[in-house]
């Protein structure tokens, strides 16, 4: 999962892009990058690390210009090297930089075609670089010295025909403008907003509406599936539908885990959706154990707090913060390697014994992926004095890998894959395990926007809506995402990056 932002302004964009990426930091903590444009030149800074660490004062001073894009990345399979930090750049045609959130399911095929047919070289393992080169080739094939808006939209239309999977994209065509578009299923989010200044109208495109809010932009709307938004450097905005058969199937896991609660995705309030998740969990408790003995409901901070609070309210029991979170530890399910994740759980959370002692505690988390965190947390609750430890997940069992931009583990490493709820309960050591039903979860997010055709729910039911994900692809993904493979690649990239730093240290 990544965060993207693009801006066409009437003044320098560096600070606004920085602020937007900081607000989107929850979408990626592995690498960050910004590229700007002025006087027919682009200015790029990107590296591994958090936004605050990648961009120092000297870097910000060098990012001049009124047009720019930015990106934050979280670690995905094989992408821990700083060489794969975004935005990516190609010099032909015109000079194009691109930031991408999602995953192309036919990236290997495209990479081969780019080399053999389009005569383009791919320098990394990133599908984002593949997507950039597809877009660049299609724009170059038009063969104009000065591309028009119709030319840009034609290139996007060709991208839709060639690329499969999920993608929300922001690209800057040097000297011409910024283009943003979503895949024809609208799996990954993107929206745009406007800000009026004394100098004129400014536009921002971003993954989440909170980035617009932080910059003082007013949300106009979400980019429709298959649609492209093109903003010329003078602030002129154009929109066009570029897909033949668009349909809106956004990723349901965005509402469960990734998006900030104060954001709006496809007209659905993430906060309100999570409140409803808590209500439906409470309803399930009442159905299954109307005589429950829950003394207190506690969230596993932070994503589940909204659902846990509403669950406690509906059950008429106390809501308490039983764990204090160290905010300087990253999200554990996307950390490479089992050893690192287990260590991080204890570093990340510390229990308040007073809230646990001699109580029957219902712990609420947004989801259960590997189960590593749950196992450790249940044990911590017992050590803190809880009589019984119940565990509720605001999401259904995660049984299948994600292929659309969330680097979930291999299927064999998902705790729910091939197991019953009773078996999972025993593995994590809980006295009772409660999962959200998929139909209830869908209902929590479906009654606001009638234009939503359905939801991308593959991690829960194994149904991949693009129709091109088969057993061979999943087998290859299993090998790629296994912990053993990740740890070997992490070790290799650490050595490679240390060599690069020794030779090219600009700090």
């Amino acid at each position: 999962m990544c965060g993207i932002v693009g801006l066409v302004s009437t003044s320098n964009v560096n600070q606004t892009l920085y602020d937007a990426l900081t607000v989107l930091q929850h979408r990626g903590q592995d690498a960050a990058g910004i590229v700007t444009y002025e006087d027919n030149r682009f200015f790029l800074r990107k590296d591994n690390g958090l936004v605050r660490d990648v961009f120092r004062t000297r870097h910000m001073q060098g990012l001049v210009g009124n047009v720019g894009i930015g990106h934050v990345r979280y670690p995905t399979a094989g992408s821990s090297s700083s060489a794969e930090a975004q935005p990516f750049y190609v010099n032909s045609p015109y000079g194009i930089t691109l930031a991408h959130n999602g995953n192309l399911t036919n990236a290997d095929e495209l990479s081969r075609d780019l080399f053999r047919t389009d005569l383009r070289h791919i320098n990394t393992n990133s599908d984002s670089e593949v997507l950039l080169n597809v877009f660049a080739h299609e724009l170059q094939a038009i063969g104009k010295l000065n591309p028009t808006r119709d030319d840009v939209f034609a290139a996007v239309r060709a991208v839709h025909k060639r690329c499969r999977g999920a993608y929300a994209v922001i690209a800057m065509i040097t000297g011409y403008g910024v283009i943003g578009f979503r895949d024809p299923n609208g799996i990954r989010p993107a929206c745009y907003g406007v800000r009026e200044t004394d100098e004129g109208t400014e536009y921002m495109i971003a993954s989440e509406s909170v980035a617009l809010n932080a910059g003082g932009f007013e949300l106009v709307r979400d980019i429709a599936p298959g649609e492209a938004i093109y903003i010329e450097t003078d602030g002129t905005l154009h929109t066009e539908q570029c897909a033949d058969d668009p349909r809106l199937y956004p990723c349901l896991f965005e509402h469960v885990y990734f998006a900030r609660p104060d954001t709006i995705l496809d007209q659905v309030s993430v906060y309100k959706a999570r409140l409803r998740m808590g209500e439906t969990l409470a309803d399930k408790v009442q159905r299954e154990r109307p005589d429950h003995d829950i003394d207190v409901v506690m969230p596993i901070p932070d994503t589940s707090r909204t659902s846990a609070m509403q669950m406690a309210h509906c059950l008429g029991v106390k809501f308490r913060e039983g764990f204090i979170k160290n905010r300087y530890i990253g999200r554990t399910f996307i950390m490479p390697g089992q050893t690192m994740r287990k260590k991080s759980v204890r570093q990340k959370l510390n229990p308040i014994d007073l809230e646990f002692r001699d109580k029957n505690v219902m712990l609420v988390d947004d989801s259960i992926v590997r189960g590593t965190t749950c196992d450790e947390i249940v044990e911590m609750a017992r050590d803190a004095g809880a009589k019984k430890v119940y565990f509720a997940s605001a999401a259904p069992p995660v049984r299948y890998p994600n292929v659309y931009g969330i680097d979930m583990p291999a299927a064999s490493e998902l705790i729910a894959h091939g197991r019953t709820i009773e078996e999972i309960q025993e593995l994590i050591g809980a006295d009772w395990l409660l999962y959200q039903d998929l139909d209830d979860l869908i209902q929590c997010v479906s009654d606001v926007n009638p234009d939503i055709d359905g939801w991308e729910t593959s991690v829960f039911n194994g149904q991949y809506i693009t129709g091109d994900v088969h057993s061979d692809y999943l087998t290859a993904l299993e090998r790629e995402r296994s912990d053993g493979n990740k740890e070997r690649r992490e070790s290799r990239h650490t050595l490679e990056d240390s060599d690069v730093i020794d030779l090219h240290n600009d700090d």
Side-chain angles (χ1 to χ4, degrees), residues 47-249:
D47 202 354
N48 282 358
L50 299 175
V51 174
R52 65 171 183 245
D53 299 322
V54 171
F55 302 103
R56 302 294 186 180
T57 300
R58 64 184 180 280
H59 304 129
M60 294 294 288
Q61 291 172 341
L63 292 169
V64 296
N66 296 359
V67 181
I69 65 175
H71 184 269
V72 286
R73 186 195 72 187
Y74 85 118
T76 56
S79 68
S80 59
S81 170
S82 59
E84 298 189 14
Q86 297 185 41
F88 283 119
Y89 167 77
V90 289
N91 68 348
S92 179
Y94 317 117
I96 303 173
T97 51
L98 179 142
H100 165 224
N101 175 30
N103 182 62
L104 301 184
T105 53
N106 65 335
D108 290 344
E109 174 189 341
L110 286 170
S111 184
R112 290 191 295 269
D113 289 345
L114 284 166
F115 180 74
R116 294 172 181 171
T117 306
D118 301 348
L119 307 181
R120 285 181 172 268
H121 171 70
I122 304 301
N123 197 51
T124 70
N125 294 320
S126 174
D127 63 318
S128 302
E129 189 187 12
V130 172
L131 199 156
L132 167 60
N133 277 273
V134 171
F135 177 66
H137 173 78
E138 296 301 336
L139 193 56
Q140 186 168 18
I142 295 170
K144 288 186 178 180
L145 181 61
N146 298 299
T148 65
R149 64 175 186 179
D150 292 335
D151 297 330
V152 174
F153 289 141
V156 174
R157 194 171 293 110
V159 168
H160 289 329
K161 292 182 183 301
R162 294 182 67 177
C163 296
R164 300 288 178 266
Y167 47 92
V169 175
I170 299 176
M172 181 173 67
I173 306 171
T174 308
Y176 293 96
V178 169
I179 180 84
F181 56 92
R182 291 173 81 181
D183 66 80
N185 292 297
I187 298 173
R188 299 267 71 89
C191 60
Y192 77 98
V194 62
R195 180 174 68 182
E196 299 292 345
T197 70
D198 294 339
E199 290 76 26
T201 303
E202 303 175 332
Y203 292 98
M204 177 185 286
I205 305 171
S207 294
E208 296 185 27
S209 61
V210 289
L212 307 179
N213 302 149
F217 287 78
E218 179 182 352
L219 173 66
V220 176
R221 61 178 175 86
D222 300 280
I223 298 176
E227 184 185 26
I229 306 288
Y230 180 46
I231 310 161
E232 297 184 61
T233 53
D234 64 1
T236 304
L237 181 140
H238 312 278
T239 68
E240 186 166 313
Q241 177 54 254
C242 298
D244 293 333
D245 185 27
R247 55 181 188 161
L248 184 55
Y249 273 74

Side-chain angles (χ1 to χ4, degrees), residues 435-450:
Y435 275 107
Q436 186 87 260
D437 293 330
L438 181 55
D439 288 344
D440 286 343
L441 179 59
I442 291 173
Q443 188 59 41
C444 290
V445 295
S446 292
D447 60 353
V448 177
N449 183 1

